[in-house]
Amino acid sequence: MTLPSTRPAPAGPAPAAAGRSAVAPTRRRRRGDLSGYAFAAPFVVVFAAFLVWPVLAGAWTSLTDTSLMAPGGFIGFGNYAEAFADPQVWQTLWQTFLFTLITTLPLVLLGLVMALLVHTGLPGQWLWRTSFFASYLLPVAVVTGIWAWMFQADIGLLNSTLASLGLEGVGWLTQEGVAMLSIALVTVWWTAGFNFLLYLAALQSIPASHLEAATLDGAGAWRRIFSVIVPQLRGVTGVILVLQLLASLKVFDQIYLLTAGGPNGSTRPILEYIYDTGFTNYRLGYASAISYIFFAVILIITLMRFLPSRRKEH
């Protein structure tokens, strides 16, 4: 005969143990949060030291009459009022926009064409890839040295070629109206390889089945380019366009080394004017004010490019 068990049923966790089990996830979460802060701290320190602090210090300097030789006092928005009335600011800003206009479109189109040529399977692809991208690897001093020799009025390659054809030489870097075009030519030759690389990577990500389906539907080579390839490159084209606009608006090196802003200031970009104002005329406060005005212009142009695409997404 089996006697009924008198052992009590297992009880639930003790109140103290239940409390510990509820607190443990909270502690683990806090420990994880602290670890996240510890990992992010080096970046935050570097970000604050090299971006936030210089931006704030520059904004404060733009409100003072600080010079390179001595600190200055607070003058409010006096530097900004002077900058808006300064014809040199508007002239150099226009010349910066002009350089951006005549270089952005050729750089985008040339990068696309070079990428399409390589992607179509030309023989000796390694040679074409190296040739198209090699110039981008050259430092600006080497690029301007090569082209300064080619632009020489008497013994330069371009004028010598014109002379052999019975044509008159051109003042490539000394003639107003031509100097800016010459610098644009140098910039296109130098930097088109970067856009070529971005387009080539985007082309290689297009599924081959799309092109095969278009071919089966009777689409020719040009039809495949304009109806299949170009629409799928819309995203990378937007990125290249923004990057190119920002790079062209910040032009300084090649102009300074080739013409130093001449002849008669016809190629002087606004960054060179800011440099001259701050480090040649010693007016750091005024140079800072012009810098922030130019920063606002770049910010507006960038937002104008991105806002339409965000509206389409919504």
Side-chain angles (χ1 to χ4, degrees):
M1 179 177 175
T2 304
L3 296 175
S5 174
T6 57
R7 192 170 52 188
R20 284 197 297 273
S21 61
V23 169
T26 305
R27 287 180 178 172
R28 282 198 295 271
R29 194 180 309 116
R30 287 177 181 171
R31 197 176 299 119
D33 292 343
L34 291 176
S35 301
Y37 292 138
F39 278 114
F43 167 76
V44 172
V45 171
V46 173
F47 180 77
F50 293 99
L51 187 63
V52 177
W53 170 247
V55 167
L56 296 178
W60 169 253
T61 304
S62 70
L63 302 175
T64 66
D65 58 352
T66 301
S67 73
L68 196 61
M69 308 302 293
F74 180 75
I75 59 171
F77 292 96
N79 285 329
Y80 290 91
E82 182 181 349
F84 283 116
D86 187 351
Q88 285 291 320
V89 171
W90 296 108
Q91 181 184 350
T92 54
L93 191 60
W94 159 246
Q95 285 164 185
T96 304
F97 283 145
L98 178 62
F99 174 82
T100 303
L101 288 174
I102 62 178
T103 56
T104 299
L105 188 59
L107 278 168
V108 174
L109 290 179
L110 188 60
L112 175 61
V113 170
M114 291 192 302
L116 286 172
L117 286 174
V118 172
H119 188 65
T120 52
L122 287 175
Q125 284 210 8
W126 64 270
L127 177 62
W128 294 107
R129 294 184 189 207
T130 305
S131 303
F132 290 156
F133 188 66
S135 61
Y136 185 71
L137 300 177
L138 297 176
V140 64
V142 175
V143 172
T144 53
I146 294 172
W147 282 92
W149 173 76
M150 295 176 69
F151 285 144
Q152 279 285 331
D154 299 325
I155 59 171
L157 177 63
L158 298 181
N159 276 357
S160 298
T161 305
L162 291 177
S164 66
L165 297 174
L167 300 174
E168 189 175 350
V170 177
W172 299 99
L173 299 176
T174 57
Q175 188 175 336
E176 290 186 35
V178 177
M180 185 63 87
L181 295 175
S182 301
I183 295 170
L185 174 65
V186 174
T187 305
V188 170
W189 177 84
W190 179 28
T191 61
F194 180 71
N195 297 341
F196 154 73
L197 200 64
L198 293 180
Y199 270 126
L200 186 61
L203 284 171
Q204 290 173 344
S205 67
I206 296 177
S209 58
H210 293 188
L211 299 176
E212 292 169 359
T215 304
L216 290 175
D217 287 341
W222 290 107
R223 189 68 175 173
R224 288 197 299 273
I225 290 175
F226 289 106
S227 298
V228 179
I229 294 178
V230 171
Q232 298 199 45
L233 296 177
R234 191 174 302 154
V236 72
T237 299
V239 173
I240 290 174
L241 191 60
V242 171
L243 293 177
Q244 199 55 64
L245 282 172
L246 296 178
S248 296
L249 287 171
K250 294 187 297 183
V251 63
F252 177 80
D253 303 354
Q254 60 267 43
I255 291 181
Y256 192 76
L257 291 173
L258 283 172
T259 65
N264 297 322
S266 61
T267 61
R268 193 186 197 187
I270 192 167
L271 288 187
E272 186 179 342
Y273 182 56
I274 293 171
Y275 171 81
D276 290 340
T277 302
F279 296 100
T280 303
N281 299 327
Y282 302 156
R283 298 190 62 194
L284 285 183
Y286 185 49
S288 299
I290 303 173
S291 300
Y292 277 80
I293 293 173
F294 186 49
F295 171 72
V297 170
I298 292 178
L299 189 63
I300 291 171
I301 292 174
T302 306
L303 291 177
M304 288 172 62
R305 168 63 189 87
F306 277 114
L307 282 180
S309 57
R310 288 185 63 86
R311 286 176 186 160
K312 286 180 183 177
E313 290 175 1
H314 291 292

